[in-house]
Amino acid sequence: MRPFYCFARVATLLLGVSGCHLLPGQAAPAPAPEPAHAAGAHGGSGGAGGHSSEAGHAGGAGGQAHGALHEGPREYSVPFAWERSKKEPLARTRTFVSELFKDNSEYMGKGRKFFREFADAQTPRATVVTCSDSRVHTTAFDATPENDDFMIRNIGNQVGNTLGSVEYGIEHLGTPVLLILGHTGCGAVKAAMGDISTLPEPVRKELEPLDIVAPKVGTAERIAWLEGVVDNVHDQVAVALTHFGGRVQTGQLTVIGAVYDFRGDMDQGHGKLSVVNVNGSRDTERLNSFMQAVADDSAKLSEKGEGDHEEIDLAEEVRRHIPPVRGRKRPVESLVDTESFGDSASPKHDDLEVLRRAAWPAP
């Protein structure tokens, strides 16, 4: 009975593999992405208990599902659950956003009248190019910056890489002042003094225009860094003059280079704003005279009121505030004439600036 014999052989083979998950010729499934002990406890239970192949598959599927639950990070961050450390990024985010809206609510308290004055147009007096550094803000030099300072910020207080914004402030808005404000401890200047080749490309490209002169051998780091900051301000003033020198020559624009010293590196007091360049001039005597003239004019306007004028001797004013400078083509007295000020025998306070510009030759 050969057919019966063959059938018996087949039955015997089937019984022999009945505890396995695979039939002959069936491909083995990929291992479950879970720890080995977990797979043995779940997927292997079908075969271990002598269950049918279907039960074994069910056990394996359950093991895979359980393993999937453990894939990925074992711990997830919960937004604003920052009690463990207030220095964590989410903690700092929460406090910043909270203070942001709180401070804004307080600022809204200025009222409608305050905002109405500049709601429809801006009329700033200064275009300000300063560094993106978070330690440098308008509060350091202007108590009322609204509608007064057209602010432009970038790393290293550069004019060239934000020329469009600078031109908008000067040409379109007509600001009579361009203030280029550097600061002590400038990271951009320090980076430009070293090797920037390893920096990320966007940062490197923004730093490349900075041309900081290498310090002399033996110069203390603090001094070298400060000199680099001041040199950069001079460089940016020079860039500005190449683009806007015509407005400077006609008296429509004054370019001021200054350094905000919150570190006290200039030994003039922490937080001091020091003018280091005016219209390209670095001469200390000239700069001191400029600052003295500004201070005196401010005091007079404060005493008399912005709309009042004072009868003054212009020649004496210039003699007192501007020291003799080589290259002056005309004596001070010759500047007070009808050619410059019309038929008025006693020029008004508004004419003083015209006189100063005439007596102060270009550098």
Side-chain angles (χ1 to χ4, degrees):
M1 301 293 290
R2 181 170 292 277
F4 177 79
Y5 174 76
C6 292
F7 177 78
R9 292 275 297 182
V10 172
T12 301
L13 291 172
L14 292 175
L15 289 174
V17 299
S18 62
C20 300
H21 297 300
L22 302 177
L23 295 176
Q26 185 176 359
E34 60 176 306
H37 68 275
H42 294 276
S45 61
H51 294 293
S52 65
S53 60
E54 289 80 3
H57 281 295
Q64 291 177 359
H66 180 79
L69 294 177
H70 293 318
E71 290 180 0
R74 297 300 180 92
E75 183 176 327
Y76 296 89
S77 59
V78 178
F80 309 137
W82 49 269
E83 290 77 9
R84 185 165 53 184
S85 173
K86 293 186 178 182
K87 294 183 178 180
E88 293 177 353
L90 285 174
R92 299 176 68 193
T93 299
R94 177 188 177 184
T95 54
F96 174 80
V97 175
S98 175
E99 293 170 3
L100 178 76
F101 290 110
K102 178 182 177 182
D103 292 346
N104 176 249
S105 295
E106 294 179 359
Y107 189 72
M108 290 174 62
K110 291 180 176 290
R112 180 180 178 183
K113 182 179 179 181
F114 172 80
F115 296 103
R116 187 188 300 166
E117 295 181 1
F118 52 85
D120 297 325
Q122 58 173 321
T123 55
R125 292 180 295 174
T127 296
V128 182
V129 179
T130 190
C131 188
S132 300
D133 196 297
S134 63
R135 299 165 293 182
V136 181
H137 283 282
T138 53
T139 51
F141 57 87
D142 193 344
T144 56
E146 297 89 349
N147 199 31
D148 204 17
D149 305 322
F150 182 70
M151 299 297 301
I152 303 165
R153 301 177 70 115
N154 58 67
I155 55 176
N157 41 273
Q158 302 179 63
V159 173
N161 60 10
T162 52
L163 188 58
S165 296
V166 177
E167 183 169 319
Y168 184 86
I170 295 173
E171 302 284 354
H172 181 73
L173 298 178
T175 61
V177 175
L178 170 59
L179 172 62
I180 299 172
L181 183 60
H183 67 94
T184 53
C186 181
V189 169
K190 188 173 185 179
M193 293 170 67
D195 181 16
I196 64 173
S197 62
T198 59
L199 296 175
E201 183 178 359
V203 178
R204 187 178 69 251
K205 285 186 175 181
E206 193 162 349
L207 289 174
E208 283 176 350
L210 294 179
D211 185 18
I212 310 299
V213 178
K216 296 180 181 179
V217 178
T219 304
E221 181 180 357
R222 172 176 171 269
I223 301 301
W225 197 357
L226 174 59
E227 290 177 349
V229 167
V230 176
D231 286 344
N232 182 45
V233 171
H234 292 319
D235 290 346
Q236 301 309 318
V237 170
V239 172
L241 290 175
T242 62
H243 291 280
F244 309 106
R247 297 180 74 91
V248 173
Q249 289 179 342
T250 59
Q252 296 175 287
L253 177 68
T254 299
V255 181
I256 301 174
V259 174
Y260 169 49
D261 182 20
F262 58 82
R263 288 163 49 101
D265 290 347
M266 303 179 80
D267 297 324
Q268 297 185 34
H270 288 73
K272 176 76 172 181
L273 192 74
S274 298
V275 173
V276 297
N277 192 312
V278 176
N279 291 345
S281 176
R282 311 180 189 186
D283 183 78
T284 302
E285 192 174 19
R286 284 186 178 185
L287 297 180
N288 288 338
S289 297
F290 171 82
M291 293 302 298
Q292 185 63 48
V294 171
D296 287 355
D297 288 349
S298 178
K300 290 176 180 178
L301 288 174
S302 177
E303 293 174 0
K304 288 187 162 293
E306 190 172 353
D308 297 330
H309 295 283
E310 178 187 7
E311 300 294 332
I312 57 176
D313 183 341
L314 284 177
E316 180 58 30
E317 280 290 294
V318 173
R319 185 182 294 106
R320 186 163 63 90
H321 293 312
I322 302 179
V325 179
R326 290 182 180 178
R328 180 176 292 154
K329 297 181 179 180
R330 295 183 289 171
V332 168
E333 287 76 4
S334 69
L335 296 174
V336 186
D337 54 22
T338 56
E339 177 184 351
S340 298
F341 304 104
D343 297 328
S344 174
S346 180
K348 301 295 183 180
H349 187 85
D350 286 343
D351 299 323
L352 180 58
E353 183 58 30
V354 178
L355 179 59
R356 288 199 182 100
R357 284 198 298 269
W360 193 332

